[in-house]
Amino acid sequence: MIDEKMMKINLQIDYQRYPLTIRREDELLYRDAAKLIDNTLNKYRSHMPDMDSNRHWAMAAFELAFTNISMKDRNDTQPYKEKLEELMKELDSCIGKGE
C-alpha cells in the first residue's frame, strides 16, 4: 500500500519504461531528470553517430556526473555560514558594549 505522500509513475528513458514509486513532491524533478538524460544521450548520438550505444551512455553519464559535482562545489554555503556567525558575534559584542 502506498501512502498519500507517495505515487507511482512510469518514466521513459532511451525508449525503455521505468516504473518508480516516488514522493509526490518530487515528481517534476524525476520527469525533468529523465528528459535531461534523453536530451544528453540524443546530443551524443547526433554529434557522434559512429559510436555505439554504450559509449553514448558513458559520455552522457560522465557529462551529468561532472555537472553534478561542479554544482555541489558552487552551492557550498559553509564559508558564508561561518562568516555570518563571526559577524553576529561581533555585532552582539558591539550591542552589548552600548548598554
Side-chain angles (χ1 to χ4, degrees):
M1 183 174 137
I2 300 176
D3 69 29
E4 61 221 27
K5 293 181 182 180
M6 303 298 284
M7 67 184 293
K8 290 186 177 196
I9 63 170
N10 289 297
L11 294 180
Q12 187 167 335
I13 302 171
D14 195 25
Y15 310 108
Q16 297 290 318
R17 190 174 141 250
Y18 296 90
L20 299 170
T21 302
I22 62 166
R23 293 184 313 178
R24 286 185 183 281
E25 64 196 47
D26 293 337
E27 179 184 8
L28 185 58
L29 294 173
Y30 277 90
R31 295 196 184 281
D32 286 347
K35 285 179 191 174
L36 182 59
I37 292 169
D38 269 340
N39 289 341
T40 306
L41 280 170
N42 289 336
K43 176 179 80 172
Y44 283 105
R45 285 183 180 129
S46 66
H47 289 356
M48 302 172 180
D50 296 334
M51 283 184 159
D52 67 15
S53 182
N54 289 338
R55 302 248 348 216
H56 292 141
W57 270 99
M59 292 299 294
F62 179 77
E63 180 179 323
L64 296 172
F66 180 84
T67 301
N68 184 27
I69 290 169
S70 298
M71 296 306 286
K72 282 182 181 179
D73 289 342
R74 290 185 189 164
N75 292 328
D76 182 13
T77 59
Q78 189 60 36
Y80 300 108
K81 288 179 184 178
E82 291 168 359
K83 188 63 176 177
L84 284 172
E85 287 174 12
E86 180 184 320
L87 291 171
M88 290 298 289
K89 287 178 184 175
E90 192 174 325
L91 280 172
D92 286 345
S93 68
C94 290
I95 292 171
K97 288 180 182 177
E99 293 178 1

